Amino acid sequence: MIEGYGFFDHVLPRMLPSLTCVALASLAWLIPLRSAGSQAWILLGGVAVTTLTVWGIVTAFVRRLPRFSRTTAITVLAAYATMPVAVPLIQLAVDGTVTAPGGSVVGLLGFVIFFAAVFLATLLATTYGFGTLLRRAVRHSVFDLRNSVHLLGRALPALLFVTLFLFFTGELWQAMNRLSWWRVSLVIVLFGAVTVLAAAARLRDEIGRVEQDLSLPTLSAACQGTPLAGVPIEHLVPDGQLPAMPLTARQERNLLLMLASRQLVQAAVVGLALFTFFIALGVLVVTPETAKQWIGEEPEASVLLPALPVALLRNATLFAGFGSMYFSVTSMTDTDHRQQFFAPIIDEIERALTVHAVYAVVRETVPATLSGRGIR
């Protein structure tokens, strides 16, 4: 939500600690990989300690120098761009061979793919603040866990009414017994995508509603406790109503990530409870003989939990994913659920949008006022 947020001025300096750690870890781990032998785990521990130390040092440096000059930025990018070439060359000199990420499937191109993927992931995470969003979502999920009795007491009855009888379907047990785990994972990802799409549609409605209520009392209340608390808003809003401030596509995506991360983490709390419930229900009700009759053959045993058939675990996972999606969508549409589970998230987004509107006006008004008074 920072106006003028750019790659060289804001993003690249914040990327530097991560890029430095990746480069250092690659040089310290990938290069002597073969020569380490049985001491590979000791080497891994040393690499972890070293990279964390460097992370702290570089982060402190970036905080003292929050913006890079164009020359410094080009130097950082050029140094990182040499890593796909430098690592295999030094590895060849030390070990006498090259161990590329991805093995022989992609060969030396694996180094380029690896470092490019790290750069892209770091760029996206830094631009949209994935780390901060995740920390906030986890903090709120901890609050949800503290109030888990209330949360689950409201969410589980409706979810069980929708899913319980499907759990005892023989055809579903046959499908889950044959379905691989990676396909089950794709189904869970699909449920998550539906949740994000529903959040995106709801977010557009909320943004439009906030833009219609930028009155003076709303602006003053939102700015309390922020650096804009002392701003004379009444002088900035002479008509008593601030005009709507259109958001850029990147700002809308950032708000969507904030909403989606909160919804997905909250859904994960409900999903974990559903998974535990269906595992317990399967152990109590579905005997090995019943499972064999439903599946038509001896149930495949789980590798991690041999006492449980893998069909039970996959069924519980499937229903947990579906129930989580159903809960997330319902919490955004149903009036009762919305007030209980969705309204606190929207309140934060509304305040962020309102404060951003004041911030944008101050950013445009104050320089013009100072310039009119001859102050530069």
Side-chain angles (χ1 to χ4, degrees):
M1 304 300 286
I2 301 174
E3 298 294 330
Y5 193 79
F7 175 75
F8 290 105
D9 292 338
H10 300 89
V11 179
L12 186 59
R14 291 168 173 81
M15 292 174 61
L16 185 60
S18 298
L19 296 180
T20 303
C21 287
V22 170
L24 181 63
S26 301
L27 293 171
W29 170 249
L30 291 177
I31 291 173
L33 186 60
R34 287 184 176 274
S35 58
S38 60
Q39 297 181 346
W41 288 107
I42 299 177
L43 174 62
L44 180 60
V47 170
V49 173
T50 304
T51 51
L52 289 176
T53 303
V54 172
W55 178 291
I57 295 174
V58 176
T59 301
F61 168 75
V62 169
R63 288 177 179 174
R64 292 178 177 272
L65 185 65
R67 295 191 179 186
F68 286 168
S69 65
R70 188 56 60 95
T71 302
T72 303
I74 294 175
T75 302
V76 170
L77 293 175
Y80 186 81
T82 61
M83 294 304 298
V85 178
V87 170
L89 288 178
I90 301 177
Q91 191 181 61
L92 183 63
V94 174
D95 287 340
T97 185
V98 176
T99 305
S104 59
V105 178
V106 291
L108 294 177
L109 189 60
F111 288 100
V112 178
I113 296 174
F114 170 75
F115 285 103
V118 168
F119 186 88
L120 181 60
T122 306
L123 175 63
L124 292 175
T126 305
T127 301
Y128 293 103
F130 285 168
T132 301
L133 292 177
L134 183 60
R135 286 195 300 270
R136 290 175 62 86
V138 171
R139 187 164 63 246
H140 283 279
S141 70
V142 171
F143 175 80
D144 290 338
L145 287 175
R146 292 175 180 174
N147 297 274
S148 58
V149 174
H150 178 70
L151 173 66
L152 299 178
R154 296 292 300 272
L156 284 183
L159 297 177
L160 293 177
F161 178 79
V162 174
T163 59
L164 183 60
F165 293 103
L166 294 175
F167 182 75
F168 298 101
T169 305
E171 290 80 1
L172 187 61
W173 279 73
Q174 294 176 17
M176 291 298 104
N177 189 64
R178 297 182 177 93
L179 202 64
S180 59
W181 275 112
W182 72 270
R183 289 181 179 272
V184 175
S185 301
L186 289 180
V187 174
I188 300 302
V189 171
L190 181 62
F191 290 153
V194 172
T195 302
V196 173
L197 290 176
R202 196 68 199 179
L203 179 63
R204 293 187 181 94
D205 296 337
E206 298 298 334
I207 291 176
R209 185 171 61 83
V210 172
E211 289 176 344
Q212 296 175 4
D213 185 22
L214 294 177
S215 59
L216 183 59
T218 302
L219 299 174
S220 301
C223 290
Q224 295 299 319
T226 73
L228 296 175
V231 173
I233 300 178
E234 61 276 3
H235 298 305
L236 300 176
V237 192
D239 298 331
Q241 177 76 23
L242 197 65
M245 296 292 176
L247 300 177
T248 64
R250 183 171 63 182
Q251 289 170 340
E252 289 187 359
R253 286 194 297 269
N254 212 161
L255 286 174
L256 174 60
L257 287 173
M258 175 184 175
L259 178 58
S261 62
R262 291 281 298 276
Q263 285 294 97
L264 290 174
V265 171
Q266 191 178 64
V269 175
V270 177
L272 181 61
L274 279 173
F275 178 82
T276 305
F277 173 84
F278 280 112
I279 290 294
L281 181 66
V283 170
L284 293 175
V285 177
V286 183
T287 62
E289 293 77 14
T290 303
K292 182 178 180 179
Q293 182 180 1
W294 284 352
I295 296 173
E297 59 186 18
E298 195 68 32
E300 178 186 352
S302 171
V303 176
L304 297 179
L305 300 171
L308 298 179
V310 70
L312 172 60
L313 296 177
R314 291 170 182 164
N315 260 325
T317 303
L318 180 68
F319 283 112
F322 175 78
S324 299
M325 178 195 68
Y326 181 83
F327 166 76
S328 295
V329 175
T330 303
S331 69
M332 291 184 281
T333 56
D334 182 79
T335 303
D336 193 21
H337 282 74
R338 174 188 169 87
Q339 183 64 30
Q340 197 68 38
F341 305 114
F342 192 62
I345 307 175
I346 290 300
D347 289 343
E348 287 191 22
I349 293 180
E350 289 181 354
R351 188 183 185 192
L353 290 172
T354 306
V355 174
H356 176 264
V358 178
Y359 155 71
V361 172
V362 171
R363 190 172 181 271
E364 294 177 359
T365 304
V366 172
T369 303
L370 295 178
S371 177
R373 296 177 180 176
I375 302 176
R376 297 185 183 276

